[in-house]
Each structure stands twice: as structure tokens, then as C-alpha cells.
């Protein structure tokens, strides 16, 4: 056990992000006292964070249009330098979470343990578990530092659960003078609308990869996804090739998914893809190459051409509806 | 406009490698190649310099063992020169140590207008180095860029978000990390490959950068690996060769799950 953990809280219009609540659930297990730090107005999040076990939320107040990584990290670094910091810090593996962790680590000279999917604690030390080689090996790493260690936690590693606490106390998190490092500003925000369920929340996911051959064939993935009320996804290869937007990407660099069913169509199963989907309850894979690594984790593997199997499947499903 | 690109030479990802049982570090005694993630930064830098009407693309990289084959690929694409920090003391460096060394190496290249890096390497994938390095350089940073424009001393970036993207502006000099797929990396031409052989690579040691060798590598890493275990393996299920009826197996499976 450790005395105090601080969790980086993130929120959007819909409220506190799930990744924050997942980290709070684990933090409660590992620490006697759990608090949050937040780049925004603490009153907006205090109730939810308290209900998930945070006793206090240190909040900067409105940061206007600043990119939040630098101001949030600088404010936390100042508290740590004043001797008011925690024993351990948790940030989510999100775009802003990685900025906060990276900046804070360099400001206070603390190490970051990244890609953490589990945290193990005993009397002496706390360690993070990170999957490597596509998830075939788990590496456990502990901190060896005088500064509070920082964990970067992957989404869906823990299950969010309310603890029934009162609203967290809101305390000021003062942002010091930032100088040149704090000059990046957000001038516009764009939400990419997508139909159907969201990729990282969907119960069914149908993904396509390089085996589709050409960009136009991705319409088969979308067609099948629509029939199954699934979210369409993609491997990094076809995102890099520009066939679909980055927001479709499943894997290490993209979204982590754990649906009831994951269908990998024309995806060979590169390490970076498998890490993002191997937690799915059921996996169906269709690939021409019988040696494709994806078959080693598939519950049902079809060795065949997606251009033959998918149209037949779509026709069969349409006939039923 | 002068752009510095941070590049990493990694073992071929097609050959996923293994951990050294003595040290629990990734074995790196195989031939190294340019991390594909970094080819996007190199291409972006070349395009930005062309758009600006002149300037230079330079590279920084670090290795424990003088390896340059991956650097030559980036030089063949069109970068002009490189600083290679090569020092046995670097073996075992964590992300923070890496950022410290790269920041110091960039200092040898004068005052670039822009520093580019990939969002994360394909072998270590911590994804924290760009922000850490920017902090050591005292510069602002914009991470996860999917497009970059530079004009009048301002960088305009479309930054990836969970919901879509943000438009972010930042004065130069600054650090920007680019996502894969932002541009189509060019293949080195034969002429480029030949020219790359004679482009200057400034090879320096850690102490040449004014960094204490004990603060990097194994000695400086503030984290230690305490366990390596095989993860619980997922069993492979039925593998069926499609002879026209493969789709029926899928229908059956979907029925079993009650999703249709």
C-alpha cells in the first residue's frame, strides 16, 4: 500500500472520462488516500470524482484555450516542490494524459512507467505491469526514484466502480508563470461525427486491414458493421495508407477495444494491433494466410479471401433481416 | 527554415525480438533500421522546408553502438546531416534519459525553427519523449499532429483528439510530434542513396554533450524491471479453410453468441 495517489482527471462535455474513473477504482485498492488533479473548474467534476473515491480535487480553474499539458504539469510540479505532493501519480494513456505525464516527469525529474495495464503493490513497493511483444509477455517495473513515480495507464485496464463517497473537496491548483513553454493555444475544436456505436464502447467491432486490397473494399466492413449494429474499425496499415481516419484505428497507437465480439477481416495481427484487441471476449478472423498471427488468438478462424467470405456473409445476414 | 527530426533506429519490427535474460532489456544486437514511424517526420520536414523556400533538415539519433544504417535511410530521403549520440553508457536508457540526451544533441545543431518527432517509437512506445524533450529545451510543444503549417513564426497544427481534432497554434521554435499517416514518405532514390553515403554524421559521446554518463543508461534509469512472465495465452479455436462455405461457420458463431 501507499499513502497517497493523485489521479489526473479528464472530462469532456459528457462529464468525467471513463479512463479517470477506471484509474480511481484501482487507486482506491492501492492507496489509503486518493485525490485528483484537474485542468478546469473543479466544481464541474467534484461530485463524480467523490462518488468514485477521490477525497479532494486540486483544480486549476478555467485554463482558457491553453493546451493543458504544460499548465497542469507545472502546477502539480510546484506542489511537489513545496512538499505537498503525493507518493504516486496516475495519468491515462490519452492525448492530454501523455502530455501531462511527459512534462511533469521532466519538470521534477521523475520516471514514467508507460502502457500500464495492472498495478501491483505490497508493503515495500508499487509496480506497474506492461504487456510487450503483442501481449505475449508481461513485464513488471517498479520505481527507483526519490520523486513520486508516474504511471501512464492504458484504457480499459480496470473496471470503473462507484464507492459511494461524498463530493470531493475542491482545492486550488495554482498555475505558476509558464513563460515560453506555455504558449501553445487551441484555436478551434472539431468533433468528427460518426454513425452507429462508438468504437471504444461498442459491443461488436468489425475491423478491416491490408487484406482488403484497396480503399473501396472498406465499404464491405461498413456494410457488415451496419448489419450487425457494430462499430467499424481498422488496422494501422490502412489508416497509414489513408483509407480511413485515424479515429478508426484499433491497436497500440489507436483505441483499445474489449467488445463481446471482434471480427478481424484481412488483418494479419501485427503486435501493435493485437495489443489493442486481444481482450475481446470472442474473436473471429478472416485471412488468406494460414500462418497469420491473428489465428493464434481467434476463436473462429476462416482461412480465405475476404472478398469472397464477406460478400457471402453479408448476403446471408441480409436474407435474415 | 531549419527543421530537426528526431529519429530512432530499431530492430526490424517484422522480427519482434526478445528480452535479454541477463538485463531484461530489448536485445538490440541485430541490424537496425529506421523506425517507420519516423519516416513521416522526415517527409514532413522535407515538405515544410520546400514550402518555406529553403533551409535544411537535420537529424538527431542515439544508439549505444555507432549504428548508422537507419540514419542513412533518412539522409537518402533528403536530410542533409545528422548528429548521432553513440555511447555504450546509453544502453538501458529510460524515456527521461533519452529525452535529456536528444535535447542536448539538438543544441549542437544551432537554433532550429522546428523540432519534429514521431508520437512514439515502434519498439519502446512510451510516447512521452517529445513532451519531455520540449521541457528540457524550454520550448512549447504540440503533440499528435495530423497536419502542420508554418508561417510568420507560427506553427498551425491539427492535433488528434479522442473526439476528432483541435486546431492548435504555437510560436516557433517548438517541438511537434506527428502521427503516422500524415504524409506519404518518399522512397529514397538511387541518387539519394548514393549521396547519403557522404553526408556528414557528427558522432558524439554523452560527455561531449556535457551530460554525466551516470545520469543515462542503466545507471540513470529510475525504474527497474522486477519481473518478466509469459502472459496467459489465448487458445486458438477452430480454424477452417474456406471452400465457399466459410461464411456459414461465421453465421453459426454469431447465432451462438445471440448477436443475430
Amino acid at each position: 500500500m501507499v499513502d497517497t495517489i493523485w489521479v489526473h482527471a479528464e472530462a469532456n462535455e459528457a462529464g468525467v472520462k471513463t479512463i479517470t474513473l477506471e484509474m480511481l477504482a484501482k487507486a482506491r485498492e492501492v492507496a489509503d488516500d486518493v485525490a485528483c488533479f484537474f485542468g478546469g473548474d473543479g466544481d464541474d467534476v467534484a461530485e463524480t470524482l467523490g462518488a468514485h473515491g477521490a477525497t479532494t480535487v486540486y483544480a486549476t480553474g478555467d485554463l482558457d484555450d491553453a493546451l493543458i499539458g504544460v499548465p497542469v504539469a507545472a502546477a502539480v510540479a510546484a506542489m511537489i516542490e513545496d512538499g505537498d505532493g503525493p507518493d504516486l501519480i496516475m495519468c491515462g494513456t490519452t492525448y492530454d494524459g501523455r502530455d501531462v505525464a511527459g512534462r511533469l516527469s521532466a519538470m521534477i525529474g521523475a520516471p514514467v512507467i508507460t502502457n500500464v495495464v495492472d498495478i501491483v503493490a505490497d508493503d515495500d513497493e508499487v509496480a506497474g505491469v506492461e504487456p510487450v511483444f503483442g501481449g505475449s509477455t508481461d513485464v513488471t517495473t517498479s520505481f527507483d526514484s526519490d520523486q513520486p513515480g508516474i504511471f501512464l495507464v492504458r484504457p480499459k485496464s480496470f473496471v470503473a466502480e462507484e464507492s459511494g463517497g461524498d463530493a470531493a473537496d475542491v482545492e486550488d491548483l495554482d498555475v505558476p508563470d509558464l513563460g515560453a513553454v506555455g504558449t501553445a493555444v487551441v484555436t478551434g475544436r472539431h468533433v468528427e461525427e460518426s454513425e452507429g456505436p462508438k468504437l471504444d464502447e461498442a459491443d461488436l467491432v468489425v475491423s478491416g486491414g491490408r487484406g482488403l486490397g484497396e480503399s473501396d473494399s472498406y465499404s464491405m466492413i461498413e456494410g457488415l458493421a451496419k448489419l450487425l449494429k457494430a462499430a467499424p474499425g481498422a488496422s494501422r496499415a490502412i489508416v497509414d495508407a489513408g483509407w480511413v481516419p485515424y479515429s478508426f484505428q484499433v491497436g497500440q497507437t489507436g483505441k483499445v477495444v474489449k467488445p463481446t465480439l471482434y471480427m478481424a477481416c484481412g488483418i494479419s495481427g501485427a503486435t501493435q494491433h493485437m495489443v489493442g484487441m486481444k481482450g475481446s471476449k470472442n474473436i473471429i478472423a478472416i485471412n488468406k494466410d494460414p500462418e497469420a498471427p491473428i489465428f493464434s488468438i481467434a476463436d473462429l478462424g476462416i482461412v480465405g479471401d475476404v472478398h469472397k467470405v464477406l460478400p457471402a456473409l453479408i448476403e446471408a445476414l441480409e436474407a435474415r433481416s | 527554415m531549419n527543421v530537426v527530426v528526431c529519429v530512432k533506429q530499431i530492430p526490424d519490427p517484422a522480427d519482434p525480438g526478445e528480452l535479454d535474460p541477463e538485463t531484461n532489456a530489448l536485445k538490440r544486437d541485430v541490424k537496425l533500421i529506421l523506425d517507420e514511424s519516423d519516416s513521416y517526420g522526415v517527409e514532413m520536414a522535407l515538405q515544410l522546408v520546400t514550402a518555406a523556400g529553403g533551409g535544411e533538415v537535420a537529424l538527431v539519433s542515439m544508439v549505444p553502438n555507432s549504428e548508422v544504417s537507419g540514419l542513412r535511410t533518412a539522409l537518402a530521403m533528403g536530410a542533409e546531416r545528422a548528429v548521432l549520440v553513440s555511447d555504450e553508457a546509453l544502453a538501458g536508457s529510460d524515456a527521461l534519459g533519452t529525452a535529456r540526451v536528444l535535447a542536448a544533441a539538438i543544441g549542437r545543431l544551432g537554433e532550429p525553427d522546428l523540432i519534429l518527432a514521431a508520437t512514439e517509437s515502434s519498439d519502446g512506445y512510451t510516447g512521452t519523449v517529445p513532451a519531455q524533450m520540449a521541457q528540457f529545451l524550454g520550448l512549447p510543444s504540440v503533440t499528435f499532429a495530423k497536419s502542420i503549417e508554418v508561417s510568420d513564426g507560427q506553427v498551425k497544427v491539427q492535433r488528434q483528439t479522442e473526439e476528432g481534432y483541435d486546431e492548435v497554434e504555437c510560436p516557433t521554435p517548438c517541438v511537434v510530434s506527428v502521427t503516422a499517416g500524415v504524409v506519404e514518405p518518399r522512397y529514397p532514390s538511387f541518387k539519394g542513396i548514393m549521396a547519403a553515403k557522404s553526408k556528414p554524421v557528427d558522432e558524439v559521446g554523452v560527455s561531449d554533450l556535457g551530460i554525466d554518463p551516470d545520469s543515462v543508461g542503466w545507471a540513470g534509469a529510475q525504474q527497474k524491471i522486477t519481473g518478466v512472465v509469459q502472459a496467459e495465452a489465448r487458445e486458438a479455436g477452430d480454424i477452417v479453410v474456406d471452400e465457399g462455405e466459410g461464411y456459414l461457420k461465421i453465421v453459426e458463431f454469431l447465432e451462438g453468441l445471440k448477436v443475430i
Side-chain angles (χ1 to χ4, degrees), chain A residues 96 98-99 103 105 109 115 136 138 140 142 144-145 185 187-188 190 192 253 278 280 298-299 301 303 320, chain B residues 120 125 132 135 139 141 143 159-160 163 165 167 169 222-224 226-227 229 231 234 237-238 240 242 255:
Chain A
D96 285 340
R98 292 212 269 197
D99 273 9
R103 285 281 176 175
S105 125
N115 291 300
S136 65
D138 286 335
T140 306
S142 62
D144 184 12
S145 170
V185 291
T187 56
H190 296 262
E192 284 170 354
T253 9
K278 74 186 281 275
S280 305
D299 300 286
V303 181
R320 298 167 68 102
Chain B
E120 61 186 12
Y125 49 80
Q132 289 167 324
Q135 184 63 31
L139 296 179
S141 57
T143 48
R159 178 180 188 256
Q160 191 70 45
E163 293 86 15
Y165 67 92
E167 285 168 45
E169 291 190 23
Q222 297 182 72
Q223 40 189 284
K224 54 177 193 288
T226 52
V229 294
R234 231 192 128 102
D238 291 341
V240 183
D242 177 47
E255 281 172 341

Side-chain angles (χ1 to χ4, degrees), chain B residues 149-243:
Chain B
E149 282 173 48
V150 186
S151 61
D152 302 330
Q154 282 284 116
V155 174
K156 289 186 184 174
V157 167
Q158 289 185 354
R159 178 180 188 256
Q160 191 70 45
T161 63
E162 273 85 16
E163 293 86 15
Y165 67 92
D166 286 349
E167 285 168 45
V168 181
E169 291 190 23
C170 176
T172 58
C174 62
V175 175
V176 178
S177 77
V178 297
T179 58
V182 288
V183 284
E184 181 72 27
R186 68 194 68 185
Y187 286 105
S189 64
F190 178 71
K191 201 174 143 202
I193 293 167
M194 295 312 287
K197 293 182 192 215
S198 56
K199 285 181 174 170
V201 175
D202 174 21
E203 190 173 321
V204 296
V206 169
S207 31
D208 299 326
L209 298 173
I211 293 175
D212 177 0
D214 285 339
S215 71
V216 297
W218 294 115
Q222 297 182 72
Q223 40 189 284
K224 54 177 193 288
I225 292 175
T226 52
V228 176
V229 294
Q230 285 299 111
E232 206 174 303
R234 231 192 128 102
E235 297 279 313
D238 291 341
I239 309 288
V240 183
V241 177
D242 177 47
E243 284 164 357

Side-chain angles (χ1 to χ4, degrees), chain A:
Chain A
M1 293 289 278
V2 290
D3 291 336
T4 321
I5 292 182
W6 286 5
V7 172
H8 176 227
E10 292 185 64
N12 55 23
E13 272 82 48
V16 177
K17 287 188 184 173
T18 309
I19 174 73
T20 304
L21 305 180
E22 291 167 356
M23 289 193 289
L24 282 172
K26 189 65 187 182
R28 292 201 312 261
E29 265 180 43
V30 180
D32 294 328
D33 183 52
V34 178
C36 285
F37 58 101
F38 179 59
D41 187 344
D43 291 328
D44 294 345
V45 293
E47 197 173 328
T48 307
L49 296 177
H52 286 261
T55 53
T56 307
V57 51
Y58 299 96
T60 59
D62 189 5
L63 290 171
D64 297 316
D65 293 321
L67 259 193
I68 69 146
V70 170
V72 170
V76 172
M79 280 190 78
I80 291 170
E81 270 157 34
D82 289 345
D84 300 323
D87 301 302
L88 198 66
I89 291 164
M90 293 168 77
C91 296
T93 306
T94 59
Y95 302 107
D96 285 340
R98 292 212 269 197
D99 273 9
V100 170
R103 285 281 176 175
L104 179 58
S105 125
M107 286 170 185
I108 63 173
V112 188
I113 296 179
T114 51
N115 291 300
V116 169
V117 296
D118 197 10
I119 292 171
V120 285
D122 61 23
D123 293 344
D124 309 324
E125 62 180 21
V126 183
V129 178
E130 174 192 359
V132 299
F133 303 143
S136 65
T137 306
D138 286 335
V139 171
T140 306
T141 310
S142 62
F143 296 108
D144 184 12
S145 170
D146 302 332
Q147 293 287 5
I150 304 168
F151 282 128
L152 261 175
V153 178
R154 289 179 65 82
K156 296 198 169 63
S157 298
F158 311 114
V159 178
E161 197 175 4
E162 289 199 11
S163 60
D166 295 333
D169 295 331
V170 178
E171 302 247 3
D172 285 342
L173 184 59
D174 294 323
V175 179
D177 183 20
L178 299 172
V181 294
T183 48
V185 291
V186 178
T187 56
R189 297 182 196 272
H190 296 262
V191 175
E192 284 170 354
E193 298 292 343
S194 61
E195 287 178 27
K198 283 178 71 178
L199 181 56
D200 49 357
E201 293 167 6
D203 202 35
L204 304 173
V205 174
V206 181
S207 282
R210 188 78 87 184
L212 290 168
E214 53 175 9
S215 149
D216 287 349
S217 298
Y218 192 79
S219 60
M220 288 195 296
I221 300 297
E222 289 170 316
L224 179 58
K226 205 166 178 188
L227 279 170
L228 292 172
K229 298 187 178 62
S235 71
R236 175 169 160 183
I238 71 166
V239 172
D240 286 0
W243 296 2
V244 292
Y246 185 78
S247 55
F248 283 51
Q249 187 170 320
V250 173
Q252 180 74 50
T253 9
K255 299 212 161 68
V256 178
V257 299
K258 287 191 176 177
T260 303
L261 173 67
Y262 188 85
M263 278 188 74
C265 309
I267 292 175
S268 62
T271 290
Q272 101 92 32
H273 188 74
M274 304 250 264
V275 171
M277 46 64 76
K278 74 186 281 275
S280 305
K281 285 198 193 73
N282 295 279
I283 297 171
I284 299 178
I286 308 168
N287 202 293
K288 269 199 295 206
D289 176 8
E291 302 296 317
I294 192 82
F295 287 129
S296 70
I297 63 163
D299 300 286
L300 173 63
I302 306 290
V303 181
D305 185 349
V306 288
H307 297 94
K308 294 194 176 126
V309 179
L310 287 181
L313 177 62
I314 289 169
E315 198 180 325
L317 293 176
E318 276 171 345
R320 298 167 68 102
S321 59

